[in-house]
Amino acid sequence: MSQSFFIQFGASLAAVAALVALAAWAKIAKPMTPLTDERARTLLEQEFPGRRLERIWVAVDGRGALAKSGAAALVLCEVGDGYVARHIPWGQAVASSFRDGVLRLDLSDVAAPLARLALLNWPPSPEPRAA
C-alpha cells in the first residue's frame, strides 16, 4: 500500500469523525416533550384558526392528539422533530380501527399517510345533551 492511500484513508477517517461529532454536538435526535392538553389546543388553534374545538383527546404517550370541530376531526401527530396537523371527516375518525389501545387514522396524505394515537378508549361516548 502506498503513502497516498494512507493519507486519503486518514483524511476520510477525520472527516467522518468530524461529522459524527457535529451531529452529537447539534443534538439532532433530541426527544420531544410530550403533548399536554394546553399545548395541543395551542397547536391546533395555530394550524386551524377560526375553528371551534369542541373536545380534545391527547394520546396517553403524548405523541399526538385528536380534536372534534363540528363535522371534522383535527389530528396532530408527531413526525420527526415536530407535529403535523391534518383534518379528516369526524365520521371517518369515529369509524377508524382501534385495537390494543391504538387508534389508527387513515389520513390519505403522502407526507403523513397514517396517524397512530394511543388512547384509553375509542369511540368516545356521546356527551349528554342539555335539556
Side-chain angles (χ1 to χ4, degrees):
M1 295 196 197
S2 67
Q3 184 179 5
S4 62
F5 170 78
F6 288 113
I7 292 172
Q8 184 178 3
F9 181 75
S12 296
L13 183 66
V16 169
L19 289 174
V20 169
L22 177 65
W25 175 76
K27 297 180 183 174
I28 291 172
K30 67 179 182 176
M32 292 181 49
T33 57
L35 275 177
T36 61
D37 289 346
E38 297 80 27
R39 183 147 184 254
R41 179 176 295 280
T42 301
L43 289 171
L44 286 167
E45 287 173 348
Q46 288 175 355
E47 288 294 324
F48 304 102
R51 290 274 184 111
R52 188 174 73 83
L53 304 177
E54 298 171 25
R55 191 166 169 198
I56 297 178
W57 295 267
V58 176
V60 175
D61 58 4
R63 297 183 67 189
L66 177 71
K68 182 173 184 340
S69 176
L74 310 178
V75 182
L76 267 181
C77 57
E78 184 178 316
V79 175
D81 62 351
Y83 293 96
V84 66
R86 298 290 186 264
H87 64 88
I88 60 174
W90 178 250
Q92 180 182 343
V94 171
S96 293
S97 169
F98 182 72
R99 265 185 256 140
D100 300 325
V102 177
L103 177 65
R104 289 170 182 79
L105 298 164
D106 178 19
L107 301 177
S108 301
D109 188 334
V110 174
L114 184 69
R116 292 180 184 91
L117 301 176
L119 299 173
L120 295 176
N121 56 18
W122 192 259
S125 58
E127 294 184 18
R129 298 190 181 242

